[in-house]
Amino acid sequence: MSFDTALSAAAVALEAHLTRVLADHPGVVGDAMRHAAGGGKRLRGFLVLESARLHGVPQDRAIWPAAAIEAMHAYSLVHDDLPAMDDDDLRRGQPTVHVKWDEAIAILAGDALQALAFECATRPEVGTAALRADLALSLARAAGGRGMVLGQAMDIAAETAATPLTLAEITALQAGKTGALFEWSAAAGALMAGGDPLALRVYARAFGLAFQIADDILDVEGSEQAAGKRLGKDGAAGKATFVSLLGLDGARARAADLVEQACDALAPYGGDAENLRDAARFAIARQS
Amino acid sequence: MSFDTALSAAAVALEAHLTRVLADHPGVVGDAMRHAAGGGKRLRGFLVLESARLHGVPQDRAIWPAAAIEAMHAYSLVHDDLPAMDDDDLRRGQPTVHVKWDEAIAILAGDALQALAFECATRPEVGTAALRADLALSLARAAGGRGMVLGQAMDIAAETAATPLTLAEITALQAGKTGALFEWSAAAGALMAGGDPLALRVYARAFGLAFQIADDILDVEGSEQAAGKRLGKDGAAGKATFVSLLGLDGARARAADLVEQACDALAPYGGDAENLRDAARFAIARQS
């Protein structure tokens, strides 16, 4: 199965699974959770499913941690889009939750999606108790105040900082904001099989950073219609980005280097990991 | 050890433990997490520690789920106090997080405290992998869109509802908003010992509801200085409360009935559960 086909299949499977998981969430917050959890590229969930496939883990087990990371990512977008944060009205081509409903519903739907992520990671269907406990603990660390939230906080602080961030600071920021969840996703399949996740972690860290550099390039060069979100905001806010620090060509070269590092890290898996390599290449070629 | 002494000892132990756990959380969000996780009555953490003690579980293990539920409760307060939610400027006698810092920091600190709750519940120190996985799964369900968040959403919706809530609706709302975390807390100690948590669940449900009725009474009769938060807001907002539906005497009688039910549920534990009975009695006698 080619990368495109595998990514589409993962997106279809995740959409169906999240719809089932969210079916019994009542009320307006349930509606908002379904809205926020719908759509998207499902790259993080795809990483879980591909990493699981590489290790011979059946998809009916891997779909649970894949849904967990997609719920976690969806919550982070809902909160990130709030007026007090990035103040975005468009996400995945749809109105953001606080625009479609209101801020209180967006806060609560995001909160409930984070709880749902931990529910999905610890469901009995995932596997042994040791696996469920370890996935939840590592997910908590990846998502929390020393992981994703720290990256988001550094991002917010950068908007009002007296001096623009340095390259090292932006790299650290993105390692938290994107890298932590990417790494958890890629490692999950190896952990589910009791295997060593190191190669997949190295892959995911390089991939995650390339993905963010590509985001900065898209923010300058992309089409809002294709991206399904507002662009050009970082430049307008005078924020340092990989593009402002490295230039467009320098940023492209750095992203290409990282994609090569990511691909090389997968050497132990040989040709079986070609979809994961294509995922990293896709990260810097995408329009959305 | 009397109830007062046990509650104070639990508060001291939890304050020290959360300080240690949060020591390596960097930046402004780390500061905001420490601010939000400090103080409070620590009733939920006390329930975990007492329930663990009843089942012979050492406190150095039980302190972890106790810290988990206090982190979860702290996150819910930070988000509940936001301008788009209850819009409160005072909590535990201190400025709320969005007042002391700003809304973005409050959103992120709350998010990170929720992740921290799951980290504390799944740390290896808690016990077996099966226990850690089950605590995390039940915590996710208690906190999420069919538990605490659902109760909070019903509470927000009640503010703009065309007709005031009925007694059955307010009871359902509070079962989510307060009851779910109370129940998880009281059950945790039994689960840690591999025991049956049913009696403690029945106790916690009745206790949680009595606690909320007492909150409604305090909102009418209490002192802001003693409570450490703003009072009189429900009446000003024209919201139905246990007091508006039952009257002050009716609400007091209902709370007293529930405390009796809570105490009766603990019969299997005999005199060993006297601190838990006193906790329920305290719920309706407290000034804060």
Side-chain angles (χ1 to χ4, degrees), chain B residues 13-267:
Chain B
L14 277 162
E15 199 75 31
H17 193 74
L18 283 163
T19 299
R20 272 195 303 276
V21 167
L22 282 166
D24 67 345
H25 276 67
V28 181
V29 168
D31 293 338
M33 290 172 79
R34 283 180 282 274
H35 177 83
K41 290 181 290 292
R42 308 294 190 191
L43 253 187
R44 292 157 189 79
F46 169 81
L47 289 181
V48 175
L49 296 178
E50 271 297 306
S51 146
R53 192 188 58 76
L54 271 184
H55 290 86
V57 176
Q59 178 153 322
D60 62 352
R61 284 179 56 208
I63 196 79
W64 286 102
I69 203 70
E70 287 294 330
M72 189 68 83
H73 179 53
Y75 120 68
S76 78
L77 297 180
V78 173
H79 282 188
D80 212 40
D81 288 338
L82 282 165
M85 305 272 292
D86 273 1
D87 194 14
D88 273 305
D89 58 356
L90 192 66
R91 171 69 69 181
R92 295 172 170 173
Q94 298 287 325
T96 49
V97 174
H98 69 272
V99 168
K100 191 170 168 76
W101 286 276
D102 59 36
E103 285 183 51
I105 296 297
I107 293 164
L108 289 171
D111 289 341
L113 282 166
Q114 180 170 190
L116 182 71
F118 288 102
E119 180 175 341
C120 289
T122 54
R123 292 271 296 223
E125 294 91 334
V126 173
T128 65
L131 173 66
R132 295 156 59 209
D134 287 352
L135 286 177
L137 179 57
S138 55
L139 184 59
R141 287 177 168 152
R146 288 158 299 177
M148 181 178 70
V149 169
L150 177 62
Q152 289 172 309
M154 293 167 74
D155 202 15
I156 298 277
E159 284 173 19
T160 54
T163 50
L165 296 190
T166 64
L167 192 59
E169 287 168 334
I170 290 190
T171 303
L173 184 167
Q174 299 299 352
K177 196 171 171 184
T178 308
L181 293 201
F182 267 57
E183 193 174 330
W184 186 91
S185 305
L191 293 176
M192 293 189 88
D196 181 354
L198 183 62
L200 286 161
R201 287 191 196 280
V202 173
Y203 157 81
R205 278 196 290 261
F207 178 10
L209 194 53
F211 186 86
Q212 277 305 137
I213 295 176
D215 243 22
D216 285 356
I217 296 171
L218 266 181
D219 197 59
V220 175
E221 290 203 322
S223 132
E224 286 192 353
Q225 199 182 353
K229 62 181 181 184
R230 300 281 174 229
L231 299 175
K233 295 189 66 174
D234 289 341
K239 274 168 79 171
T241 68
F242 287 106
V243 172
S244 74
L245 287 167
L246 298 171
L248 260 176
D249 288 344
R252 275 201 204 90
R254 178 89 185 103
D257 269 358
L258 285 162
V259 168
E260 199 175 317
Q261 282 175 37
C263 292
D264 288 351
L266 297 174

Side-chain angles (χ1 to χ4, degrees), chain A:
Chain A
M1 202 191 288
S2 73
F3 163 66
D4 284 351
T5 315
L7 183 61
S8 300
V12 169
L14 277 162
E15 198 75 33
H17 193 74
L18 283 163
T19 300
R20 273 195 302 277
V21 167
L22 282 166
D24 66 345
H25 276 68
V28 180
V29 168
D31 293 337
M33 291 172 79
R34 283 180 283 276
H35 176 82
K41 292 182 288 293
R42 307 296 190 191
L43 254 187
R44 292 158 189 79
F46 169 81
L47 289 181
V48 175
L49 296 179
E50 271 297 306
S51 146
R53 191 188 60 73
L54 271 184
H55 290 87
V57 176
Q59 178 154 322
D60 62 350
R61 284 178 55 209
I63 196 79
W64 286 101
I69 202 70
E70 288 294 331
M72 189 67 84
H73 179 52
Y75 120 67
S76 77
L77 297 180
V78 172
H79 283 187
D80 212 39
D81 288 338
L82 282 166
M85 305 273 290
D86 272 1
D87 194 14
D88 273 305
D89 56 357
L90 191 66
R91 172 67 70 180
R92 293 172 173 174
Q94 298 286 325
T96 48
V97 173
H98 69 273
V99 167
K100 193 170 164 79
W101 287 276
D102 60 36
E103 286 182 52
I105 295 297
I107 293 164
L108 290 171
D111 289 341
L113 281 166
Q114 180 171 191
L116 183 70
F118 288 102
E119 180 175 341
C120 288
T122 53
R123 291 271 297 221
E125 293 90 333
V126 172
T128 65
L131 173 66
R132 295 156 59 208
D134 287 352
L135 286 176
L137 178 57
S138 54
L139 185 58
R141 287 177 169 154
R146 287 158 302 177
M148 182 177 71
V149 168
L150 177 61
Q152 290 173 309
M154 292 167 75
D155 202 16
I156 298 278
E159 284 172 21
T160 53
T163 51
L165 296 191
T166 63
L167 192 59
E169 287 168 334
I170 291 190
T171 304
L173 183 166
Q174 298 301 351
K177 195 171 172 184
T178 309
L181 293 200
F182 267 56
E183 194 175 329
W184 186 91
S185 305
L191 293 176
M192 293 189 87
D196 181 355
L198 182 63
L200 286 161
R201 286 190 196 280
V202 173
Y203 157 82
R205 276 197 289 259
F207 178 11
L209 193 53
F211 186 87
Q212 277 303 137
I213 295 177
D215 242 25
D216 284 356
I217 297 172
L218 266 180
D219 197 57
V220 174
E221 291 203 322
S223 132
E224 286 193 352
Q225 198 181 354
K229 62 181 179 182
R230 299 283 172 229
L231 299 176
K233 296 188 66 176
D234 289 341
K239 274 169 78 171
T241 69
F242 288 104
V243 173
S244 74
L245 288 168
L246 298 172
L248 258 176
D249 288 345
R252 275 201 204 93
R254 178 88 185 105
D257 269 358
L258 286 161
V259 168
E260 201 176 315
Q261 284 176 35
C263 291
D264 289 351
L266 298 174
Y269 295 102
D272 283 350
E274 205 50 28
N275 278 351
L276 288 179
R277 290 191 194 90
D278 282 342
R281 294 176 190 125
F282 160 77
I284 60 170
R286 68 201 161 91
Q287 300 302 313
S288 71

